[in-house]
Amino acid sequence: MESSYFNNIVNSEYSRKNDGRIEYGTAGFRTKSDILEHVLYRMGLLAVLRSKAKKAAIGLMITASHNLEPDNGIKLVDSAGEMLEVSWEMIATNLANVLDSDLTSMLAHISTKENIDLSIPATVIIGRDTRKSSPILLKAVLAGIKALNGNVTDLGLVTTPQLHYVVVCTNTDGAYGNPTLQGYYSKLAAVFKSIRGTEINNGKYISRLQLDAANGVGAIAVREFQRYLKDVLDIKLFNDGSGDLNYMCGADYVKVQQTLPLNIPSEKSVRCVSIDGDADRVVYFYIDGNNKFHLLDGDRIATLVAAYFKELLETSGLSLQLGLVQTAYANGGSTDYISNVLKVPVACVPTGVKHLHKKALEFDIGVYFEANGHGTVIFKDTAKDAIKNHAKNEILSTTQRVASSKLKDVTDLINETVGDALSDMLLVETILHTKGWDVIEWERSYNDLPNRQLKVRVKDRNIITTTNAERHCLTPVCLQEEIDKIVSKYSRGRSFVRPSGTEDIIRVYAECESSSDVNRLAVEVASLVY
Ligand code: 16G
Ligand code: ZN
């Protein structure tokens, strides 16, 4: 069957028109949209093979997340809703770069090597963001899937986490929820409302927020949530798609620039939320009485969530191992707070969701967040069962029972498949509501160290290699020694450099006690890699 199966696969409409090499990186393929058509066609082909290999539905998301409008990209979502298996990242890279004349033989080679039964039906679930280039790229993907007779479920315009959710629900026969967008909204909205009960506000918590949707696909999802939650949460939507995507707005802009996004009114002490262009990242912020900007990023969300879970576990009397996973970008202030005050075990892993997710699986309840706002909470199946059964335990005191059923409800509010800006936001809102906290109370738990990120353009970013979760440079030789020398001059100083996985640059991170020194520290370290 094999040799004939891949006949007529080369499609002149999607021939490889440029010689540049493209790699499946931390977030799939991502580059200028006008050189992506053949890659998308080939990913359509690959998704069919992956679906047959896994004997399950596979997801394909067309997005370039927080990048500006001219870019686009694609990532594959594996059958359990997680990122594509690492060994297939290389297969994807090879397939994207092969000459048209070798495409057929490479497909045959993949299917033999991976032992794929080609008679198994394939299903590919597709989503896309709002970029102008997305429909053309969708056409290319569909052509690829059709060429290998795969079945398609086209979800249209969806956030990345919605696509992950539908893939999981499809492959678990609905046990995780209904595999539709309506299933997604109604599941999250129903739990959110039931936890909140009739008390809309509580203490200092007021059920109102301003949301910057980065002019991306998240705005569509927010409008749906506005409808579902209209009686319980007042969400004022800004950057709703009428402006330029990710331009001076969105979670990445707000996190890196540490400033207000375009169009958000600077109303004193009002909770504001920014999500990114495909709604898998979220950060909070507010303006104080002196017009000073305050950021509550992924580290803050992680600590809020971990502290809440710790409290619920202790109050309910349930003994489960809770852990938190961060990257080198986590603010030193947050890591100290987690280790010394919360006393929750904390692990540090390299940048990229797949690393965080994998490490978090080692805990019964694993909270993971990147400082940029990408993260979620995941539970071992045994932990979920324990939580469910504990809530039914008759010998519990009332306090224990209340905590126990809260724990169960909160579990349902979380999109475990991947960081989900909107599910994370509903979780934060739930915790703040329960505690009766406004954003100022939330911020009070610890102080962030002033920090700064810089980008350095170099000829070849791969000359920098790192170890110890990217916190130490291995090459160029002596670079780490030089960084250490500079850092030692600054009180509570910390700095590292790493090659970006998504752009052709080196990233520099620096933090120290004094806000007036932190720029100098970052610039001094950056000057070592010019
Ligand atoms: C991608 C990653 C994100 C990471 C970022 C780092 C996923 C889904 N996304 O967006 O987690 O923080 O890359 O980018 O893994 P950088 O390597 O350019 O710093
Ligand atoms: Zn994103």
Side-chain angles (χ1 to χ4, degrees), residues 253-524:
Y253 174 82
V254 171
K255 165 71 184 160
V256 176
Q257 304 300 328
Q258 305 194 15
T259 186
L260 280 186
L262 279 185
N263 302 322
I264 284 259
S266 56
E267 246 185 271
K268 187 181 144 239
S269 305
V270 169
R271 249 180 358 270
C272 299
V273 174
S274 268
I275 63 176
D276 74 336
D278 63 338
D280 60 359
R281 289 189 193 181
V282 59
V283 295
Y284 274 72
F285 57 93
Y286 74 95
I287 293 289
D288 69 17
N290 298 320
N291 233 2
K292 184 169 176 257
F293 173 85
H294 295 247
L295 177 70
L296 293 101
D297 61 5
D299 299 340
R300 291 273 175 193
I301 298 174
T303 47
L304 180 78
V305 171
Y308 187 58
F309 271 97
K310 185 171 184 229
E311 194 182 306
L312 288 179
L313 285 172
E314 281 173 1
T315 316
S316 65
L318 194 57
S319 165
L320 290 173
Q321 200 205 5
L322 173 69
L324 203 150
V325 186
Q326 303 184 309
T327 72
Y329 288 104
N331 195 283
S334 76
T335 314
D336 286 351
Y337 173 71
I338 296 157
S339 317
N340 304 328
V341 181
L342 293 183
K343 299 199 188 306
V344 169
V346 53
C348 184
V349 299
T351 304
V353 171
K354 64 184 176 206
H355 301 295
L356 289 111
H357 195 96
K358 187 161 164 235
K359 189 72 191 173
L361 286 169
E362 292 177 14
F363 301 102
D364 290 332
I365 303 178
V367 181
Y368 71 82
F369 266 89
E370 293 189 304
N372 62 26
H374 193 140
T376 187
V377 187
I378 53 179
F379 303 83
K380 280 195 180 143
D381 284 345
T382 47
K384 269 194 180 160
D385 288 345
I387 291 171
K388 237 185 260 162
N389 293 333
H390 195 67
K392 291 187 222 146
N393 194 332
E394 287 181 3
I395 58 165
L396 295 186
S397 69
T398 313
T399 323
Q400 284 177 320
R401 195 184 316 282
V402 171
S404 191
S405 60
K406 259 222 167 114
L407 193 57
K408 196 193 142 298
D409 287 346
V410 170
T411 311
D412 287 337
L413 192 55
I414 291 162
N415 185 348
E416 279 182 77
T417 62
V418 73
D420 180 334
L422 298 172
S423 147
D424 288 342
M425 178 187 86
L426 295 180
L427 178 62
V428 168
E429 293 299 313
T430 297
I431 300 173
L432 295 180
H433 173 265
T434 305
K435 292 191 162 298
W437 281 0
D438 59 9
V439 73
I440 300 160
E441 292 286 314
W442 173 18
E443 195 187 25
R444 206 162 272 163
S445 44
Y446 67 87
N447 289 324
D448 265 331
L449 289 170
N451 59 91
R452 184 95 171 93
Q453 285 190 48
L454 296 176
K455 295 180 183 187
V456 184
R457 264 182 212 287
V458 289
K459 259 208 194 111
D460 178 11
R461 64 182 149 151
N462 294 319
I463 54 163
I464 295 207
T465 57
T466 64
T467 183
N468 190 12
E470 304 177 317
R471 290 170 293 186
H472 284 266
C473 280
L474 286 173
T475 62
V477 183
C478 298
L479 176 57
Q480 188 58 48
E481 228 173 274
E482 298 293 320
I483 296 175
D484 291 344
K485 258 190 234 161
I486 295 173
V487 168
S488 68
K489 296 186 293 184
Y490 295 83
S491 171
R492 297 187 76 189
R494 188 170 71 90
S495 179
F496 63 88
V497 299
R498 57 173 280 277
S500 157
T502 61
E503 288 179 72
D504 212 3
I505 51 161
I506 303 281
R507 292 198 197 280
V508 178
Y509 175 87
E511 68 181 29
C512 67
E513 194 158 33
S514 149
S515 55
S516 52
D517 284 352
V518 72
N519 255 343
R520 193 151 40 91
L521 171 56
V523 170
E524 271 194 71

Side-chain angles (χ1 to χ4, degrees), residues 123-162:
T123 300
V124 185
I125 305 173
I126 309 176
R128 64 179 200 277
D129 73 14
T130 51
R131 283 161 209 274
K132 291 182 197 79
S133 55
S134 290
I136 295 168
L137 296 179
L138 171 68
K139 212 175 132 228
V141 163
L142 291 172
I145 298 170
K146 199 163 154 236
L148 289 183
N149 294 320
N151 302 308
V152 172
T153 305
D154 181 6
L155 299 178
L157 295 169
V158 287
T159 69
T160 295
Q162 285 177 331

